[in-house]
Amino acid sequence: MKKFFIFLFLGLFSVVSFGQTVRTDFDLGDFGIKIETDRRLVIMRTTLVLAGLQSEPSQEGKELREKILSDFKDFDPVLREKLRIFVEKYAARNQEQSNAEIASAFLSMAFALTPAPELAEPVRSDSIPGPVLSVLDYSSLVREFYSSPGVPAKIDKYQKVYDEQAEFSVLSSRDMVREVLDYLHTRPQLSYIERVRVESPQGEKQKLVKYEIVEKPRTFTIAPDVLATKGNVSFLTIKDQYFTIVPSKIDISDSEVRRAYLQFVLDPLVLAERKEIEVKRLNIIALVNEQRKKNGNIPTDPVLAVARSFVAAADIKEEQFRKENAATESARRKIALMKTEEQRLAVSEELKKIKTDVTDEATLKLSEAYENGAVLAFYFAEKMIGTEQSGFDIAGSVKEWIFALDPRTEANRLSDMRNAIQRGIIARERRKNAKLTELIENPLTAELLKADELVTAKKYDEAEQKLNGLAREYKAIPIEVARVYYSLGRMNSLKAEASKDPEVIGQLLKDASDYYKNVLALASPSDKGLISSTYFALGRIYEHFDQDEYALKIYDAALTIGKVESGAFEEAFEAKRLLIQRMGKN
């Protein structure tokens, strides 16, 4: 049995190599991104657990919290009380904030400290954000905590749990970078120039003020936080160093991290035009002040208003662009299945309606951004349409856009867009539960669901008859028949799972593997969810027959695709983790 499967798996890799090539040399560092466990974050989180600040983390986070409480059950009660009192007093002064928002101030402060073990606080200045300044005295308690006997060793153990999440974040960040930069047609600036004062050499009688120009790196650090509340993302900027704190197993490509990375990319483009922005200062502030009548927390800085507007517009338009492309792809596939011109025209009309809904929903989001201080969002959104169509690097257009900007023309945007905004509210309600890939229903999907119901009911003969019929019906459309083959592979895998006869299991898994190979050979590259799930299913077959090294490679292939809709990213990640753990024990 094993010899047979070795041959089968070697054959499979020819499909993996040539049927669906996946780039694996994607270095996030080339795009300014660092994903790493920050020890300061782990230390700060541990103190907050001991201080009693509650969060709603993932299951991994709950388990780690219980471990921390167990490990420190006999910890110095005096210091623990000091931690609790400080946090409770801060929370009492900020009762309108959630626990996640309260924690954010302390976590942001952690990044202002020097690395462990010193954990020295920065020089207090106006450049430090207000929330960080308000908790900076907590740093003395953090230093006292970390210098306590046995604490660094415990932090070492907790950091290993964080390291696993860092790997997860690395894998799920690639799609975000590809999508953002492919849309903007640009690359981020990875350095900035700073004028630094230099001390005169010792011994000089007359002290001269000297400066030198220093090039410093710009980085976007993603710091996974196992103990963070699910769905809560914190963002902090210190000069040109951007820090984003994310909870466990978050999909980086579909989260607030995307907007934070857009800010990292676009900020230097805006700051380069600050002189031109200052020329329009009074008119920009006039727009902002109108919105401040409803929301007094909106900052009045004109450069910040331009930057926030640019980021909001890029974020909203990029999402609209992706949705429209997905709908167009779905329509194209459905039209290929239609038998009459009337049916094809009906699909085209359906696509037009969906695109209208997507556009109106984008208009609604732009209006919400406008009301929150991004008063030039509509202006930049219109400019983004030109780069979508031309494919030009956005960096070459920003100077012209800001020069041509007349803030006075933006004053009536909300009233001018009133009808589209109302349609957007209706569209959002109608589509809030719709999946992106189901914008246009594919008739094959309904048939596969019926077959899946038969499989679930263990009516395997009926399911196989139906699926084989679908395979014959759609054989002229390879990307559709690939979906049928996946269902056949899944059915055979489930039948094997239910069997107790080794020979029957072997034959069923061989058949399942053959179907999965056909999926990889025929599936459209845009069917990332299907390809991801197929790799995961094949990995399970490898693992079942003790082909662990091959299984790891297949799981890596699924992980390389990223966290995509209907994919198996999390399943592949967990399967790989457990397999490595088991291989280590053996």
Side-chain angles (χ1 to χ4, degrees):
M1 182 69 72
K2 284 191 176 183
K3 186 178 294 185
F4 169 80
F5 270 91
I6 289 173
F7 173 81
L8 172 66
F9 295 150
L10 289 174
L12 170 64
F13 266 101
S14 66
V15 177
V16 174
S17 298
F18 301 106
Q20 297 291 345
T21 302
V22 180
R23 182 180 173 187
T24 58
D25 60 341
F26 191 84
D27 187 352
L28 290 170
D30 291 342
F31 303 95
I33 294 180
K34 292 197 304 182
I35 301 179
E36 58 187 20
T37 301
D38 194 295
R39 194 172 184 83
R40 295 168 297 181
L41 179 63
V42 182
I43 295 166
M44 185 65 73
R45 264 298 180 191
T46 304
T47 69
L48 294 178
V49 169
L50 298 180
L53 186 63
Q54 292 295 314
S55 63
E56 292 298 327
S58 64
Q59 184 58 38
E60 292 91 346
K62 292 176 181 177
E63 292 172 1
L64 179 58
R65 183 170 60 197
E66 291 304 312
K67 180 169 180 54
I68 290 171
L69 292 173
S70 174
D71 288 347
F72 284 93
K73 63 180 183 296
D74 298 323
F75 185 65
D76 180 354
V78 176
L79 178 53
R80 188 164 181 169
E81 184 68 4
K82 288 180 182 177
L83 295 171
R84 184 188 65 78
I85 290 173
F86 191 105
V87 173
E88 286 186 355
K89 283 184 175 179
Y90 179 79
R93 295 194 303 271
N94 298 275
Q95 294 183 18
E96 74 285 357
Q97 294 184 359
S98 65
N99 283 353
E101 290 171 324
I102 290 167
S104 180
F106 290 88
L107 300 177
S108 296
M109 187 265 283
F111 286 96
L113 304 179
T114 60
E118 289 81 11
L119 299 171
E121 65 185 57
V123 176
R124 296 172 188 251
S125 69
D126 293 339
S127 64
I128 298 177
V132 174
L133 272 175
S134 64
V135 298
L136 200 52
D137 288 340
Y138 190 74
S139 64
S140 63
L141 298 178
V142 174
R143 287 189 292 275
E144 185 179 352
F145 166 76
Y146 191 68
S147 64
S148 300
V151 169
K154 290 184 175 68
I155 296 297
D156 285 342
K157 292 189 295 183
Y158 308 153
Q159 190 162 343
K160 289 179 180 177
V161 180
Y162 273 67
D163 287 341
E164 290 183 359
Q165 301 309 311
E167 181 185 356
F168 188 96
S169 297
V170 167
L171 294 164
S172 69
S173 296
R174 291 183 173 125
D175 279 347
M176 177 196 73
V177 174
R178 288 191 186 98
E179 289 169 359
V180 166
L181 299 185
D182 283 352
Y183 179 74
L184 299 176
H185 310 292
T186 195
R187 293 178 70 92
Q189 294 183 20
L190 301 184
S191 65
Y192 68 100
I193 303 299
E194 187 173 29
R195 192 164 174 256
V196 179
R197 183 168 178 165
V198 181
E199 293 291 334
S200 298
Q202 288 187 352
E204 285 191 6
K205 293 181 179 180
Q206 186 176 3
K207 297 289 185 180
L208 298 175
V209 178
K210 295 183 179 180
Y211 293 89
E212 64 179 34
I213 302 300
V214 178
E215 185 175 5
K216 295 189 175 182
R218 296 182 72 242
T219 56
F220 184 88
T221 300
I222 298 175
D225 182 6
V226 179
L227 291 162
T229 295
K230 288 182 289 186
N232 186 68
V233 175
S234 300
F235 182 55
L236 172 71
T237 305
I238 303 176
K239 287 190 175 180
D240 271 69
Q241 308 309 310
Y242 293 64
F243 299 92
T244 306
I245 304 169
V246 300
S248 291
K249 294 187 177 179
I250 188 173
D251 182 358
I252 301 294
S253 67
D254 188 24
S255 71
E256 285 300 310
V257 183
R258 175 188 293 274
R259 182 170 287 207
Y261 186 65
L262 275 167
Q263 184 174 330
F264 173 76
V265 175
L266 298 178
D267 273 357
L269 303 182
V270 172
L271 291 174
E273 308 304 327
R274 62 167 67 89
K275 289 183 179 179
E276 183 61 35
I277 294 171
E278 284 296 323
V279 172
K280 308 172 192 295
R281 176 185 183 85
L282 293 179
N283 289 326
I284 294 174
I285 291 177
L287 286 175
V288 172
N289 283 339
E290 277 300 308
Q291 301 311 311
R292 279 176 59 82
K293 293 176 182 178
K294 295 175 282 187
N295 181 358
N297 294 323
I298 297 173
T300 56
D301 181 88
V303 177
L304 181 58
V306 173
R308 290 178 64 175
S309 300
F310 198 1
V311 169
D315 187 33
I316 293 165
K317 293 300 291 182
E318 192 264 340
E319 181 185 30
Q320 178 186 350
F321 185 73
R322 282 188 291 118
K323 284 184 176 181
E324 289 181 350
N325 283 347
T328 301
E329 173 66 14
S330 295
R332 185 185 65 78
R333 294 176 63 163
K334 186 174 181 179
I335 286 173
L337 303 175
M338 298 296 99
K339 294 179 171 58
T340 68
E341 185 62 22
E342 184 180 0
Q343 290 174 325
R344 288 189 281 271
L345 287 173
V347 176
S348 296
E349 288 302 313
E350 187 181 4
L351 175 61
K352 288 179 184 177
K353 185 177 183 305
I354 287 171
K355 284 188 173 182
T356 299
D357 279 357
V358 171
T359 300
D360 289 341
E361 196 171 351
T363 301
L364 173 60
K365 290 181 179 179
L366 288 168
S367 72
E368 292 167 340
Y370 188 106
E371 290 174 333
N372 286 317
V375 291
L376 305 172
F378 283 103
Y379 174 78
F380 285 113
E382 289 176 350
K383 297 300 182 184
M384 300 298 298
I385 296 173
T387 61
E388 288 175 2
Q389 296 171 347
S390 68
F392 293 153
D393 186 337
I394 197 172
S397 303
V398 176
K399 185 179 185 69
E400 177 188 341
W401 292 353
I402 292 178
F403 180 79
L405 169 65
D406 182 357
R408 293 170 297 184
T409 64
E410 302 303 307
N412 298 320
R413 283 288 191 175
L414 294 181
S415 58
D416 291 345
M417 295 290 183
R418 187 184 300 111
N419 291 337
I421 291 169
Q422 288 301 315
R423 292 197 305 268
I425 293 171
I426 296 170
R428 176 182 288 176
E429 186 64 26
R430 184 168 57 242
R431 289 164 32 80
K432 65 182 180 181
N433 296 319
K435 292 184 178 180
L436 190 61
T437 55
E438 294 174 353
L439 292 175
I440 295 180
E441 185 179 0
N442 187 318
L444 176 58
T445 301
E447 295 301 317
L448 290 175
L449 287 173
K450 291 177 184 177
D452 187 60
E453 289 173 1
L454 293 172
V455 171
T456 301
K458 297 185 178 180
K459 297 179 180 179
Y460 296 125
D461 290 341
E462 291 180 50
E464 186 169 12
Q465 183 178 359
K466 183 172 186 61
L467 289 170
N468 283 333
L470 290 172
R472 289 191 295 272
E473 182 178 351
Y474 290 97
K475 66 180 180 180
I477 311 174
I479 60 176
E480 298 296 348
V481 81
R483 300 169 64 204
V484 180
Y485 286 145
Y486 177 81
S487 293
L488 283 163
R490 178 176 175 274
M491 182 190 70
N492 278 276
S493 295
L494 290 174
K495 287 171 68 176
E497 191 176 304
S499 177
K500 296 181 180 178
D501 186 329
E503 289 191 13
V504 172
I505 291 171
Q507 185 58 48
L508 287 170
L509 289 180
K510 174 189 177 299
D511 293 342
S513 181
D514 287 341
Y515 283 125
Y516 290 141
K517 287 190 290 181
N518 284 330
V519 173
L520 293 174
L522 299 174
S524 166
S526 64
D527 270 343
K528 294 182 179 180
L530 176 63
I531 297 167
S532 169
S533 296
T534 302
Y535 278 136
F536 170 69
L538 280 167
R540 300 297 290 174
I541 294 176
Y542 279 87
E543 196 173 342
H544 177 84
F545 286 91
D546 297 325
Q547 302 299 311
D548 294 342
E549 294 295 338
Y550 290 119
L552 286 176
K553 291 178 181 178
I554 286 294
Y555 291 145
D556 279 338
L559 294 172
T560 301
I561 293 170
K563 191 171 183 181
V564 294
E565 187 179 344
S566 303
F569 182 90
E570 291 192 23
E571 293 85 349
F573 182 86
E574 185 64 14
K576 179 183 175 182
R577 185 183 70 81
L578 292 173
L579 179 54
I580 290 174
Q581 197 175 77
R582 179 168 60 81
M583 291 170 68
K585 290 180 180 178
N586 294 339

